[in-house]
Amino acid sequence: MSTTSSTTATSFLSATQRYAAGALFAIALHQAQIHQTRPLGLSHDDSEQEERTSCSSSHSNGSSSDSVSEDPDLWIHENSGLLRPVFRFLEVESVAWTGLEETAGGSPAKHHVGAFLRLLSEESGNASSSSSQSSDQEVALSKAVDVMEETMGANPVSSQSKKEKHKEYETQCREKLSAGSEVKSTSEVENDPPKTAKDDHSADVSDAPRDSGHNDDEEPVEEEKMLSNQRKVTVLYEILSACLADRREENKKCTRKRNGYDARHRVALRLLATWLDIKWTKMEAIELMVACSAMAVAKEEASKEETKSPKSKWAKWKRGGIIGAAAITGGTLLAITGGLAAPAIAAGFGALAPTLGTIIPVIGASGFAAAASAAGTVAGSVAVAASFGAAGAGLAGTKMARRTGSVDEFEFKAIGDNHNQGRLAVGIMVSGCVFDEEDFIKPWEGQNDNLERYALHWESKNLIAVSTAIQDWLTSRIAMEFMRQGAMLTVLSTLLVALAWPATLLAATDFIDSKWTIAIDRADKAGKLLAEVLLKGLQGNRPVTLVGYSLGARLIFKCLETLAETEHSAEVVERVVLLGAPISIKDQKWDAARKMVAGRFVNAYSTGDWTLGVAFRASLLTQGLAGIQPVDVPGIENVDVTDLVEGHSSYLWATQQILEQLELDAYYHVFRGPNPPEHTD
């Protein structure tokens, strides 16, 4: 029921505006599910009439449902637990919920979006002091977000330093690997032969124009121009607050298993921000403000408990599942596991404002306190703030040895500058072709994003062994002879059609096989471990982006496969990028893996990666290989990075450029390449 007045006392929006905001979010949530299998930017002939059935596994046989209520697999269905708690927080009248769900599930979505944006733009017409105060608060909130965004922005000096260090790393890698010059900077392979593998997939989406021809849904909606920037920020702020407040009713049929920030919510917010023409960095600033506000509420609750028995207070926190996420020491709430809080947030909102006041000089501490007043209902209780915290020791403290089969090394290393800074999204980066311990970290250090990022350090002994074995083979006489003749790429192109390897090549690569087999086995088992970590919430209940190259990409894929065995929806993983993946195309569960990812799923491949073909030739001959050709599965973005990848080992330094050109923070398919790779002398 919506009889309480807590939201109206703190919301900057009128009842009609909250209704419109809830409706827009419902539409975005449904469209986001559709785009799981039909991502924007990949095609231009989407059938609007089949939107609802296109994203429901229960109607894969072609039958359609006339009502959202009859399709429990929809994200906007009551059983998903994603939408109605948002309606409840926004105090949308419950009698309107079903109608909004049906509208969100109908078509065409664009017409409805415009109508609700017009509703959002309307003022209440009430000239009362409360209306004026709400307007002032909207302005204060918008200014606070602007300054927070600026504070989060990349430091030009730091960015330049990162680029220089990455360039040094690239130079070191090239020098180290130049002897077995799979790298194109050697003269033997300057003139690549035609790549018939690519010709066989001429309709592949990676060949589509990259800067034009986007679907209309990728562009801001015309009516967004009717809204002030302050109103747009307010809408996103309050919808995010609603997503995190998690006001669920008891629903035994609810399929959602976790509190916190659901990956599907974040993807829907990306689309809504696109419609509103709001940069994603601004949305990340809103996330940070809500995070800090929520932790302040948690501390305020804890402070109230301090007047009671310390034992009862601690027991309550322990029962709430917070003991693993935060600790109270010296009256200060510290996130000890890469959870929510900026360091040393003191009690209550009054103390929160001075803490953040140092980075919000435009409006001052009191201004931010007013702007953040809505966070009183963002959190609602200690449990909401705690839901972001990581269970147990968190990722940074996670070491798993001999837990699954013979995996001996599995550890997360924090990278970047965003730890303990209230980030509401996590990135896990996984290397797979490594020659030194530093290769687990350095390929990822130069990224400029707002994720709390970790590099997975796993099975270094086996990975170094197989990488070195391949490199040793590259320096062998027969390999050098093949390269001198420019024959390697011809072999790779031919075998895709003829399914035949030269006998001399097979004989020469026998000694790689045993090491490669072991490495594949470890990657599969480590992938299961990663799934276990995510299911336990060691990353905090925050959306996760997974990026990996070579065997690291296979590890991520096996993680998704494992998740699919127990999960039925994409609660945890927001985005995935696989680069040079040694994964068979036909005998793996690609559809199931895709369903575990709420947003973009990218398969980056190089048609000239003959090293991968040599190492994984058994699967290549029978099922095809994702690392060198497209994957024909709805919802997967295939990106041809042949012009950026000079050889399999060059993913060590090319990964950063590929990720920059993918523009992962864009909601829709983007790949701004290829640009000619830079060569070092």
Side-chain angles (χ1 to χ4, degrees):
M1 299 297 293
S2 53
T3 57
T4 63
S5 58
S6 58
T7 301
T8 55
T10 55
S11 175
F12 306 155
L13 301 175
S14 69
T16 299
Q17 290 163 350
R18 294 197 307 275
Y19 170 87
L24 284 169
F25 184 71
I27 296 170
L29 186 63
H30 184 63
Q31 293 300 308
Q33 186 178 14
I34 291 172
H35 298 150
Q36 255 196 324
T37 52
R38 286 157 46 198
L40 292 175
L42 295 191
S43 61
H44 311 284
D45 57 353
D46 294 341
S47 173
E48 297 267 6
Q49 290 75 17
E50 297 183 6
E51 281 183 342
R52 183 177 299 163
T53 58
S54 69
C55 57
S56 172
S57 59
S58 65
H59 295 284
S60 58
N61 60 2
S63 62
S64 63
S65 169
D66 292 328
S67 172
V68 167
S69 64
E70 297 175 17
D71 194 345
D73 291 323
L74 293 177
W75 293 357
I76 56 174
H77 191 276
E78 177 184 3
N79 289 355
S80 73
L82 291 172
L83 190 53
R84 292 199 172 185
V86 172
F87 290 158
R88 187 173 296 110
F89 177 91
L90 295 175
E91 295 196 342
V92 175
E93 291 291 337
S94 57
V95 294
W97 294 357
T98 300
L100 289 178
E101 289 164 353
E102 295 297 336
T103 297
S107 60
K110 221 31 173 320
H111 295 172
H112 299 307
V113 172
F116 287 118
L117 284 175
R118 286 192 292 273
L119 274 183
L120 266 183
S121 68
E122 295 176 2
E123 300 302 328
S124 62
N126 187 348
S128 66
S129 60
S130 61
S131 176
S132 176
Q133 182 182 9
S134 292
S135 177
D136 291 343
Q137 288 176 327
E138 279 191 328
V139 172
L141 175 63
S142 179
K143 287 182 178 179
V145 170
D146 288 344
V147 177
M148 185 72 79
E149 180 187 14
E150 184 178 349
T151 303
M152 294 169 66
N155 183 321
V157 177
S158 175
S159 297
Q160 183 61 32
S161 175
K162 287 180 180 179
K163 289 181 180 179
E164 291 173 357
K165 288 181 179 179
H166 190 76
K167 195 65 181 176
E168 291 175 5
Y169 174 64
E170 176 181 346
T171 301
Q172 293 170 3
C173 288
R174 287 180 179 278
E175 291 175 350
K176 182 167 52 181
L177 301 174
S178 60
S181 81
E182 158 199 39
V183 179
K184 288 183 184 176
S185 55
T186 54
S187 59
E188 290 89 345
V189 290
E190 285 183 352
N191 298 316
D192 293 348
K195 300 177 181 62
T196 57
K198 184 174 180 180
D199 294 339
D200 289 342
H201 299 275
S202 57
D204 183 72
V205 298
S206 61
D207 296 327
R210 296 181 171 104
D211 297 300
S212 62
H214 287 150
N215 186 296
D216 287 342
D217 285 339
E218 301 167 40
E219 305 299 334
V221 180
E222 181 68 24
E223 286 82 356
E224 64 84 13
K225 295 174 183 173
M226 301 171 64
L227 275 66
S228 67
N229 185 69
Q230 292 91 336
R231 179 59 49 79
K232 295 174 185 178
V233 168
T234 299
V235 168
L236 292 172
Y237 181 92
E238 296 205 13
I239 290 178
L240 174 63
S241 301
C243 291
L244 304 185
D246 201 48
R247 291 185 172 185
R248 299 192 216 177
E249 286 184 337
E250 288 296 325
N251 181 358
K252 295 181 180 180
K253 294 182 179 180
C254 181
T255 57
R256 190 174 167 211
K257 300 178 181 178
R258 299 165 187 83
N259 294 328
Y261 199 2
D262 196 293
R264 295 166 293 179
H265 276 160
R266 197 169 197 246
V267 172
L269 283 167
R270 282 187 187 275
L271 179 56
L272 185 53
T274 301
W275 288 342
L276 293 174
D277 197 22
I278 290 292
K279 292 188 299 182
W280 184 248
T281 53
K282 194 178 293 291
M283 186 65 220
E284 289 173 320
I286 294 172
E287 288 180 337
L288 182 55
M289 290 178 61
V290 171
C292 292
S293 299
M295 287 302 284
V297 172
K299 177 55 184 175
E300 188 175 30
E301 293 288 328
S303 297
K304 292 177 183 178
E305 288 293 315
E306 287 183 7
T307 60
K308 303 177 183 179
S309 165
K311 290 184 179 180
S312 65
K313 175 200 67 176
W314 188 252
K316 180 179 178 181
W317 276 59
K318 189 173 181 180
R319 283 196 304 272
I322 303 171
I323 187 170
I328 298 181
T329 55
T332 302
L333 187 63
L334 299 178
I336 60 175
T337 61
L340 271 187
I345 292 181
F349 287 113
L352 170 68
T355 303
L356 295 180
T358 58
I359 59 175
I360 307 180
V362 172
I363 62 173
S366 60
F368 179 70
S373 62
T377 44
V378 172
S381 70
V382 179
V384 174
S387 67
F388 302 107
L395 287 181
T398 297
K399 288 187 179 181
M400 294 187 181
R402 300 175 181 87
R403 288 281 303 280
T404 298
S406 50
V407 175
D408 295 324
E409 190 176 25
F410 189 93
E411 181 180 358
F412 295 93
K413 302 289 183 68
I415 52 176
D417 305 319
N418 296 332
H419 295 267
N420 294 323
Q421 297 297 316
R423 311 297 177 171
L424 288 191
V426 177
I428 297 177
M429 316 298 173
V430 191
S431 297
C433 174
V434 297
F435 297 90
D436 299 296
E437 297 285 341
E438 68 176 10
D439 293 338
F440 286 102
I441 304 292
K442 291 206 169 184
W444 315 107
E445 283 186 326
Q447 287 300 114
N448 288 316
D449 57 37
N450 288 310
L451 297 173
E452 182 178 295
R453 292 188 295 130
Y454 298 86
L456 180 58
H457 194 279
W458 65 288
E459 290 298 284
S460 58
K461 178 181 177 181
N462 287 304
L463 292 182
I464 291 173
V466 70
S467 300
T468 303
I470 292 174
Q471 188 65 17
D472 289 344
W473 180 79
L474 292 177
T475 63
S476 67
R477 181 181 58 80
I478 187 169
M480 295 296 287
E481 183 61 28
F482 266 99
M483 284 186 283
R484 252 192 300 275
Q485 298 172 4
M488 282 301 184
L489 294 176
T490 303
V491 167
L492 184 60
S493 300
T494 303
L495 67 89
L496 289 172
V497 179
L499 302 181
W501 284 92
T504 52
L505 196 61
L506 288 173
T509 57
D510 282 344
F511 74 98
I512 296 177
D513 291 348
S514 60
K515 294 181 176 62
W516 181 257
T517 301
I518 292 172
I520 287 289
D521 175 71
R522 298 297 190 275
D524 292 352
K525 291 175 179 175
K528 294 179 180 179
L529 276 180
L530 180 56
E532 180 183 334
V533 165
L534 298 181
L535 290 173
K536 286 184 175 180
L538 298 184
Q539 76 286 356
N541 291 331
R542 298 175 288 173
V544 177
T545 294
L546 301 173
V547 183
Y549 69 86
S550 187
L551 287 162
R554 184 180 177 93
L555 184 157
I556 289 172
F557 185 83
K558 289 299 176 182
C559 167
L560 297 176
E561 275 194 338
T562 303
L563 289 176
E565 293 173 1
T566 58
E567 302 294 291
H568 301 290
S569 56
E571 289 189 40
V572 178
V573 181
E574 182 190 1
R575 299 171 297 181
V576 163
V577 180
L578 307 179
L579 303 109
I583 306 168
S584 300
I585 289 176
K586 294 182 181 178
D587 67 343
Q588 302 294 335
K589 300 175 182 177
W590 284 92
D591 288 305
R594 181 64 187 93
K595 289 179 182 178
M596 294 298 101
V597 184
R600 295 177 64 183
F601 190 129
V602 180
N603 173 53
Y605 65 95
S606 169
T607 58
D609 191 350
W610 53 265
T611 302
L612 186 59
V614 168
F616 212 44
R617 61 183 181 275
S619 290
L620 177 63
L621 291 173
T622 56
Q623 287 96 21
L625 199 61
I628 61 174
Q629 59 197 119
V631 177
D632 186 18
V633 172
I636 293 181
E637 301 174 30
N638 290 295
V639 176
D640 187 345
V641 297
T642 304
D643 292 336
L644 297 175
V645 176
E646 304 165 23
H648 193 67
S649 60
S650 64
Y651 280 112
L652 284 165
W653 63 84
T655 288
Q656 180 172 320
Q657 185 181 2
I658 294 170
L659 291 177
E660 288 173 354
Q661 296 185 357
L662 282 172
E663 296 184 24
L664 281 182
D665 278 334
Y667 178 84
Y668 47 84
H669 168 67
V670 176
F671 184 56
R672 301 297 184 191
N675 295 326
E678 296 181 14
H679 295 280
T680 57
D681 295 327

